[in-house]
Amino acid sequence: MASDDNASVSLIETFRPRLRKLIQVEPVLDLILSIDNEQKELIRNKAKTESKLMAADLLINTVIKTPHHDGWFREFVDALSNGGCQHAADYMEKPPNPEVEAENDHCVRLIELLSPSLLDMKTADVCQHCFSEDILSQEDADIIKAATTNNGAIVGARELLGRIVRGRPGWYSTFLKVLRDTEHGDLFLELTGGTQDSDNKEENDGLLPMTDKHTGGDVATEEGPAGAERSATPEYLDCSTTEETVDEAPDLYNAEGAEPSQQPNSLDPLQPDGNGKAGAAGGPKKADIVLRDYQMDVAQPALEGKNIIICLPTGSGKTRVAVYITKEHLDRRKKEGQSRKVVVLVNKVPLVEQHYSKEFCPFLEPTYKVERVSGDSQLKISFTEIVKKNDVIICTAQILENYLERSNNGEDEGVYLRDLTLIVIDECHHTKKGEVYNHIMMRYLKQKHKNARLKKEQKKPMAIPQILGLTASPGVGGANRMEKAEEHILRICANLDAYKIMTRSLGEFKKEPYKIIATVEEREQDPFGDVIKKIMNAIHAHADLNPSCDLGSQNYEQWVVQKERNAAKEEDQKVRVCAEHLRQYSEGLELSNTIRMRDAFGFLNKYQEEEMKRKVAPEEEEPIQITDTERFLFNLFKENKEELQALAKRPEFENNSLSKLRISILREFTSRDRARGIIFTKTRRSAIALSQWIQENPKFAEVDVKASHVIGGGDQSVVKPMTSAEQKDVLNKFRDGEVNLLIATTVAEEGLDIPECNFVVRYGLVTNEISMMQAEGRGRAADSSYTLVQVKGSGVAEKESVNEYRKDMMTKAIAKIKSMNQAEYDKRIMEFQIQAVLEEKLRMTMKKKQGMKNVSPSEVKFSCRGCNKHVCTGDDIQIIERMHRVNVSTQFRELFIQRENTSLQMRLLDYETNGFISCKDCGQRWGSMMFYRGIECPCLHVKNFVVMYSGKKNSKCTTWSELAYIQFSAFDYIEHAGRVVQSSDDEETE
């Protein structure tokens, strides 16, 4: 028996380092009856007065040294198991194998590294889901809840993180699922190091989506221009995570909008230039670049070859400074006989052409070759050749990233970071985790730190480019304290390896609009909204739903989305369909409070018509089934349609915001000789409706208001997106004066070359301090105004006040950073860079391990979201151009019907889409019909399916990137084209 005791003691001692971290003292102590109360009190006091680790150590010592009775070891193991320390109990009974143990350690370390960001979670929601998923015990949940209630969500989150990492291996993947289930997409991406597919991600009214997946770059200097002079650099940092990639660097995301051009000899840097490429390239001599004193001042370190961030307000000529720095960089390297290659990165497709024709061409050609490449350009196919043949390449960041990745994978057509000598990053405040700018910069940082190691080993370092970042506002990242604001800005500086962040007062050129808060009283009667709420309550009763939040609120919409997802997963079609209709009615309520009731009614009516169309099969097809619930919903709208339509025509019940907006517009156009303004609004629908409202109102025409709208190009919204050509046409009309009032979504806030305005209106729209500063910056003319229209009690004005506070905080934080001793600044930057590289290394290790567990396509099943019918398996799905998932199997063609959709006509290089496909049984839309190089390919949108793998259903997939662990096969064009040709030959023979 003594030998057994010795073996047990030896086992405990062996795993003591693990046990002391995994044991939760209080619950375990309560369950060990052999320890007397006096000793238990000592252990508890140790936990309170010193630390939990020391208390766990004392507990272990007590267990080992207390006279052993029969069954003492079993009592200890049972106490661990029943006290919520199951992982610790596992070590005592069946220790995990080293691989599992190492992987779990990686997960714990990742949580520790990223805990500052994770503390921003909605603690109560995450805790409840973790408890439901069995990675927290009831006692854990109670303690976390108490900590949250007594000390706040952050303390509760810290307690939660400290407890989940003690769980059995496997807790990490469950925790990731919880983050996704509780709408913490940003935290999920931070832990996984992922980003959203640009072809699937809805661009929240960003300009045309970066549907292109190809990217490139070119030549550099021996060392990082910023880091070369720093004494704080450690000897080296080993960055080789999965492969020996010589040109990888830390990924960061930050970039801000392009600036309008200046006339080369204009006295006002805020005025756009009149030079197009024709005027520059057509003549033998390029235009001269004239910088103002403040512009030359911020450019100086970059002219010396150092990495910097230029932070100047919107309209102050940042892009012009970048052109000057680029020219000096090219001239110097040409004179010295060195290679030269400049890549200018932007985050929106229209900015490529804007920078090309308005800025870089007029000042650089014909001395240097300038080319532009974007997602809707044929040139992207030969991007590597474009990089080789030109001195300056202007492109969307995703194109460069894709081609850097190709070189990383050893593909011949890739581009290497070492080939680039200067990278200009526009709107560089987007260099943050999960963003494409950040992925590019992560490659840079890895190589920079690897170069430090190579130098120590007396080996030749790899060349890396100089970095120039441009931004009007780095923001404060949601900080509430100066310390956090400084940290946010320093992290962006670290991500861009910036030697300094350069700012300057514009002095006499500074133009700030005066701000007006236009508060609107809530309407006393809202019979239109009351009818919508009556319909919604009838649906609640039909589906036995009991919302606990106000109808039409943001919380209500989130509640409805969650109900729909759960219902799809549980195959509860009654609740799923009702939730879909409730979501539309909720949006109708919001629209009636923003735009005209007739516009809100038109939206609801169109939705109902489209839904009924889905239930009508094309000619010679079997009828599509209509369920009792669907029939109830159609009849419910039909019964109330006439009343809604009649109320929508009653002007006395319109929302008061429109009246306030009308007064603001008329005031601006009657008090100025030549008024030009922008109205920012939240949604595409409201932008279109407001434009129509203005165009139809004769009062506006009397004062010469000529309105048009500009919205984003992402195609995930049911509202038809604007093409690049349509956006350009509207902006040209605005520039020429054919349009003098632009109604825009946030697409127009940053970057676009929009002429100076003398008034800006934010119509019930408030986001963050960066957006506020961008919008304010659109009011560049003298005596310009900035008006915020808000409904009383909506909280919009309060949010604007917070943004003002954060704007001031940002200014003070930048000033404090600029006043730092250079050595102190370098040390802080280096710390953040090392952390970024270590986090990336950890992510890559985890990704590599996860890659070994890829799910076979045959194990993944897709069923219709509308009727639960099995549709296909992963084996049936193939990928075109690394982004389009298609199913070209013969069996699949028997399951869907094809409909024309005139709002979905899009041509991009070798493919086009002009229709959509729907379930033959229930009419649920599945995706679009794509014509690829002459072949008809049904392209699937994963959001329309319920995905099943490993016996679990997932109804929350919105993008294919969430199924990255499934290795779908590449589309074999030759094989499929051969089958199509053979089939057509057989038909002709017959």
Side-chain angles (χ1 to χ4, degrees):
M1 200 68 184
S3 61
D4 289 342
D5 286 349
N6 291 337
S8 298
V9 170
S10 178
L11 182 65
I12 293 173
E13 287 289 6
T14 299
F15 290 109
R16 177 191 284 266
R18 297 278 176 184
L19 293 176
R20 66 195 298 267
K21 292 182 179 180
L22 296 174
I23 288 177
Q24 296 182 47
V25 174
E26 287 285 352
V28 172
L29 199 58
D30 290 340
L31 297 170
I32 303 179
L33 302 179
S34 56
I35 299 178
D36 61 50
N37 291 334
E38 185 177 349
Q39 186 63 22
K40 285 183 178 180
E41 197 59 34
L42 287 174
I43 296 171
R44 290 191 180 100
N45 286 335
K46 179 77 74 172
K48 292 175 184 176
T49 59
E50 297 185 45
S51 73
K52 293 179 181 178
L53 286 178
M54 295 185 71
D57 255 334
L58 181 56
L59 171 59
I60 292 169
N61 288 338
T62 304
V63 168
I64 291 173
K65 295 176 181 178
T66 297
H68 296 150
H69 59 85
D70 290 346
W72 69 271
F73 182 69
R74 184 72 258 165
E75 180 189 44
F76 177 54
V77 174
D78 288 344
L80 293 176
S81 180
N82 297 327
C85 305
Q86 188 59 60
H87 192 193
D90 291 344
Y91 273 98
M92 297 295 92
E93 297 189 298
K94 187 180 178 181
N97 66 53
E99 288 186 7
V100 172
E101 186 176 61
E103 182 173 349
N104 191 66
D105 289 345
H106 279 304
C107 296
V108 174
R109 181 61 180 147
L110 191 59
I111 295 293
E112 290 173 351
L113 282 170
L114 298 179
S115 61
S117 299
L118 296 173
L119 294 178
D120 290 335
M121 71 174 73
K122 299 171 186 173
T123 307
D125 291 349
V126 174
C127 178
Q128 181 59 42
H129 278 68
C130 286
F131 173 67
S132 300
E133 295 287 348
D134 292 329
I135 58 173
L136 286 178
S137 67
Q138 181 64 63
E139 184 169 351
D140 288 332
D142 291 342
I143 291 172
I144 293 165
K145 184 177 180 180
T148 304
T149 302
N150 297 331
N151 302 303
I154 290 180
V155 174
R158 192 175 288 118
E159 187 72 40
L160 185 151
L161 294 176
R163 289 175 179 271
I164 61 166
V165 296
R166 295 188 175 114
R168 280 173 157 169
W171 60 267
Y172 182 75
S173 58
T174 305
F175 183 56
L176 289 180
K177 175 180 179 297
V178 166
L179 290 179
R180 227 165 39 192
D181 289 351
T182 53
E183 309 295 332
H184 288 78
D186 54 339
L187 301 183
F188 173 85
L189 289 174
E190 185 157 349
L191 282 173
T192 58
T195 185
Q196 299 187 29
D197 280 0
S198 56
D199 55 314
N200 288 309
K201 173 185 175 184
E202 180 166 1
E203 298 280 333
N204 191 20
D205 278 313
L207 282 164
L208 293 176
M210 297 177 192
T211 51
D212 178 44
K213 296 290 181 187
H214 311 295
T215 336
D218 220 298
V219 186
T221 57
E222 287 271 318
E223 301 173 9
E229 302 180 27
R230 295 188 185 149
S231 60
T233 306
E235 292 182 347
Y236 69 85
L237 181 63
D238 187 357
C239 307
S240 52
T241 56
T242 57
E243 306 153 353
E244 284 294 309
T245 53
V246 296
D247 56 350
E248 286 198 25
D251 68 75
L252 317 156
Y253 165 74
N254 201 339
E256 195 154 307
E259 300 306 318
S261 312
Q262 298 170 243
Q263 291 285 358
N265 299 308
S266 168
L267 293 178
D268 189 351
L270 311 184
Q271 294 294 326
D273 72 67
N275 297 324
K277 182 180 179 181
K285 185 179 180 181
K286 61 183 176 296
D288 293 327
I289 306 175
V290 179
L291 295 188
R292 297 203 170 276
D293 290 343
Y294 73 84
Q295 293 172 319
M296 184 60 77
D297 185 56
V298 297
Q300 196 56 48
L303 298 175
E304 299 168 5
K306 295 172 181 173
N307 294 353
I308 62 168
I309 296 172
I310 293 177
C311 180
L312 291 174
T314 298
S316 58
K318 292 189 295 295
T319 309
R320 181 57 47 81
V321 179
V323 176
Y324 183 86
I325 292 169
T326 298
K327 179 183 176 299
E328 293 296 312
H329 173 87
L330 293 170
D331 288 348
R332 187 185 79 249
R333 294 185 71 86
K334 182 179 181 181
K335 182 178 179 181
E336 295 172 354
Q338 295 180 308
S339 61
R340 53 190 181 275
K341 197 73 62 176
V342 179
V343 173
V344 181
L345 300 179
V346 299
N347 62 338
K348 294 175 181 176
V349 172
L351 293 178
V352 174
E353 182 63 35
Q354 177 178 304
H355 283 355
Y356 175 73
S357 61
K358 297 286 183 181
E359 293 288 353
F360 286 86
C361 275
F363 296 102
L364 299 180
E365 290 196 339
T367 304
Y368 299 106
K369 294 180 181 178
V370 183
E371 190 54 271
R372 78 285 204 198
V373 188
S374 65
D376 53 2
S377 165
Q378 291 281 358
L379 293 176
K380 71 174 185 179
I381 295 176
S382 55
F383 186 72
T384 302
E385 290 302 310
I386 296 298
V387 171
K388 289 178 181 177
K389 294 177 181 178
N390 291 277
D391 301 298
V392 179
I393 303 92
I394 304 165
C395 65
T396 47
Q398 190 62 52
I399 294 178
L400 178 60
E401 168 60 16
N402 289 344
Y403 275 81
L404 289 172
E405 181 59 27
R406 287 188 179 195
S407 66
N408 183 47
N409 293 334
E411 298 182 34
D412 293 338
E413 68 272 29
V415 172
Y416 292 88
L417 194 66
R418 61 174 178 259
D419 296 329
L420 308 180
T421 58
L422 171 64
I423 297 179
V424 180
I425 301 181
D426 193 24
E427 305 291 347
C428 71
H429 56 269
H430 292 301
T431 312
K432 301 179 292 189
K433 289 179 182 177
E435 302 291 345
V436 64
Y437 283 161
N438 203 54
H439 294 318
I440 293 169
M441 284 306 302
M442 182 57 72
R443 298 176 187 277
Y444 172 100
L445 288 183
K446 284 182 180 178
Q447 189 58 51
K448 172 193 167 183
H449 290 292
K450 188 172 183 179
N451 281 349
R453 186 189 69 188
L454 292 172
K455 276 182 155 187
K456 180 177 175 60
E457 296 170 355
Q458 297 185 338
K459 295 179 182 179
K460 185 179 179 180
M462 190 68 70
I464 51 178
Q466 180 181 350
I467 305 296
L468 172 63
L470 308 175
T471 181
S473 165
V476 296
N480 294 319
R481 305 194 313 273
M482 182 63 70
E483 178 187 356
K484 289 294 182 181
E486 289 175 31
E487 181 179 319
H488 171 79
I489 296 169
L490 282 170
R491 282 187 184 276
I492 290 176
C493 292
N495 292 346
L496 291 160
D497 195 34
Y499 167 73
K500 284 185 186 229
I501 180 169
M502 302 299 296
T503 60
R504 259 296 296 271
S505 170
L506 304 190
E508 62 183 296
F509 303 110
K510 186 175 183 180
K511 297 176 181 178
E512 286 192 357
Y514 64 92
K515 183 170 285 191
I516 304 167
I517 304 293
T519 301
V520 179
E521 295 292 332
E522 288 189 82
R523 48 188 171 193
E524 295 180 2
Q525 291 181 290
D526 183 17
F528 182 85
D530 292 340
V531 174
I532 294 178
K533 291 177 181 179
K534 180 182 73 174
I535 294 173
M536 295 172 77
N537 285 324
I539 298 174
H540 294 151
H542 178 80
D544 196 23
L545 295 172
N546 298 294
S548 58
C549 40
D550 294 336
L551 304 189
S553 65
Q554 186 174 351
N555 287 338
Y556 179 84
E557 185 174 348
Q558 292 171 349
W559 174 82
V560 166
V561 169
Q562 191 62 46
K563 285 294 179 183
E564 191 278 333
R565 287 176 174 174
N566 292 340
K569 182 178 179 180
E570 296 165 6
E571 300 185 9
D572 186 343
Q573 295 307 316
K574 181 178 182 179
V575 172
R576 187 192 65 79
V577 174
C578 286
E580 284 183 349
H581 281 251
L582 286 169
R583 188 176 182 183
Q584 303 305 315
Y585 283 116
S586 181
E587 184 166 355
L589 266 181
E590 182 181 356
L591 289 173
S592 72
N593 291 322
T594 307
I595 54 180
R596 294 174 296 184
M597 293 184 292
R598 58 182 274 194
D599 297 314
F601 171 77
F603 154 66
L604 292 173
N605 190 51
K606 184 178 180 180
Y607 172 74
Q608 293 292 325
E609 288 176 351
E610 291 295 325
E611 286 297 294
M612 286 189 281
K613 277 184 187 177
R614 287 204 304 117
K615 295 301 177 179
V616 179
E619 294 181 8
E620 300 180 4
E621 294 280 356
E622 295 181 8
I624 296 174
Q625 65 182 12
I626 300 179
T627 65
D628 291 340
T629 293
E630 288 170 331
R631 190 170 287 108
F632 163 78
L633 292 168
F634 291 147
N635 289 335
L636 185 60
F637 180 77
K638 187 177 179 181
E639 291 165 4
N640 291 277
K641 179 178 177 179
E642 287 186 11
E643 185 178 4
L644 284 171
Q645 195 166 16
L647 288 169
K649 298 175 182 177
R650 301 278 297 275
E652 67 269 29
F653 296 133
E654 286 289 8
N655 68 73
N656 296 320
S657 297
L658 282 174
S659 299
K660 188 68 73 171
L661 180 61
R662 179 173 174 270
I663 292 170
S664 297
I665 296 171
L666 292 175
R667 180 185 67 237
E668 297 292 347
F669 276 87
T670 54
S671 62
R672 303 176 187 274
D673 292 333
R674 295 184 61 186
R676 186 199 299 264
I678 303 179
I679 299 173
F680 288 106
T681 187
K682 184 177 180 181
T683 66
R684 295 180 182 183
R685 281 197 185 92
S686 59
I688 295 169
L690 286 173
S691 179
Q692 291 173 342
W693 169 64
I694 293 168
Q695 291 166 12
E696 295 169 8
N697 193 318
K699 282 290 183 184
F700 292 125
E702 289 175 10
V703 294
D704 197 33
V705 177
K706 295 169 288 189
S708 187
H709 68 271
V710 61
I711 60 175
D715 64 353
Q716 293 300 301
S717 170
V718 295
V719 178
K720 180 185 176 183
M722 287 186 92
T723 65
S724 179
E726 288 171 333
Q727 292 168 344
K728 187 176 181 180
D729 180 59
V730 172
L731 294 176
N732 283 338
K733 288 179 179 178
F734 189 58
R735 189 175 297 110
D736 298 338
E738 191 176 339
V739 170
N740 55 19
L741 180 58
L742 200 62
I743 298 91
T745 51
T746 53
V747 66
E749 281 183 343
E750 101 182 5
L752 291 188
D753 183 9
I754 295 175
E756 64 177 25
C757 302
N758 40 36
F759 73 93
V760 173
V761 178
R762 284 176 77 84
Y763 187 59
L765 171 68
V766 173
T767 48
N768 57 28
E769 71 280 2
I770 295 177
S771 293
M772 182 189 74
M773 293 175 69
Q774 295 280 7
E776 288 177 344
R778 294 297 168 201
R780 300 173 188 165
D783 193 33
S784 59
S785 67
Y786 173 93
T787 302
L788 176 67
V789 178
Q790 65 128 10
V791 176
K792 188 175 182 179
S794 65
V796 169
E798 288 80 358
K799 290 179 183 177
E800 188 79 353
S801 297
V802 170
N803 287 338
E804 287 284 358
Y805 171 75
R806 285 178 172 156
K807 174 184 173 182
D808 292 340
M809 183 189 292
M810 182 196 76
T811 303
K812 292 174 183 177
I814 292 175
K816 189 171 180 180
I817 290 169
K818 288 184 67 177
S819 67
M820 273 185 180
N821 174 282
Q822 190 65 41
E824 179 189 357
Y825 171 87
D826 289 345
K827 182 180 178 183
R828 293 290 304 276
I829 293 301
M830 186 57 60
E831 287 173 355
F832 287 132
Q833 288 182 350
I834 291 172
Q835 181 182 351
V837 173
L838 287 174
E839 288 175 3
E840 177 68 7
K841 182 176 180 179
L842 201 52
R843 285 196 192 99
M844 293 297 291
T845 302
M846 295 296 297
K847 188 174 181 180
K848 186 176 181 181
K849 288 179 176 294
Q850 291 169 357
M852 298 174 183
K853 305 172 185 177
N854 282 335
V855 177
S856 168
S858 60
E859 297 176 20
V860 184
K861 298 178 181 179
F862 296 85
S863 58
C864 175
R865 197 177 190 95
C867 62
N868 306 315
K869 175 178 68 177
H870 173 72
V871 174
C872 63
T873 68
D875 279 337
D876 301 317
I877 296 176
Q878 298 176 330
I879 302 181
I880 294 178
E881 293 186 1
R882 304 185 182 186
M883 55 179 163
H884 304 290
R885 276 75 173 180
V886 300
N887 187 339
V888 294
S889 66
T890 305
Q891 301 91 325
F892 182 66
R893 288 185 176 273
E894 300 298 320
L895 302 178
F896 67 81
I897 53 178
Q898 188 173 343
R899 300 179 186 273
E900 184 181 3
N901 183 0
T902 55
S903 70
L904 211 164
Q905 293 179 349
M906 173 174 57
R907 287 174 173 79
L908 290 170
L909 298 180
D910 294 325
Y911 59 87
E912 64 180 61
T913 56
N914 60 6
F916 56 79
I917 59 174
S918 300
C919 177
K920 185 178 286 187
D921 290 348
C922 70
Q924 169 71 44
R925 189 175 298 183
W926 285 352
S928 55
M929 183 58 75
M930 184 171 81
F931 291 90
Y932 175 70
R933 296 167 65 182
I935 297 178
E936 196 176 52
C937 301
C939 184
L940 308 185
H941 298 172
V942 71
K943 65 180 181 180
N944 299 318
F945 300 92
V946 175
V947 184
M948 176 180 284
Y949 58 92
S950 302
K952 295 181 179 179
K953 291 183 180 179
N954 186 349
S955 62
K956 299 181 181 180
C957 289
T958 56
T959 65
W960 284 104
S961 62
E962 295 174 60
L963 301 179
Y965 48 81
I966 305 172
Q967 300 298 307
F968 297 115
S969 59
F971 180 72
D972 191 328
Y973 175 78
I974 295 177
E975 178 186 349
H976 192 68
R979 289 205 302 266
V980 172
V981 171
Q982 180 66 45
S983 176
S984 60
D985 288 345
D986 292 344
E987 289 176 5
E988 290 177 8
T989 303
E990 293 173 1

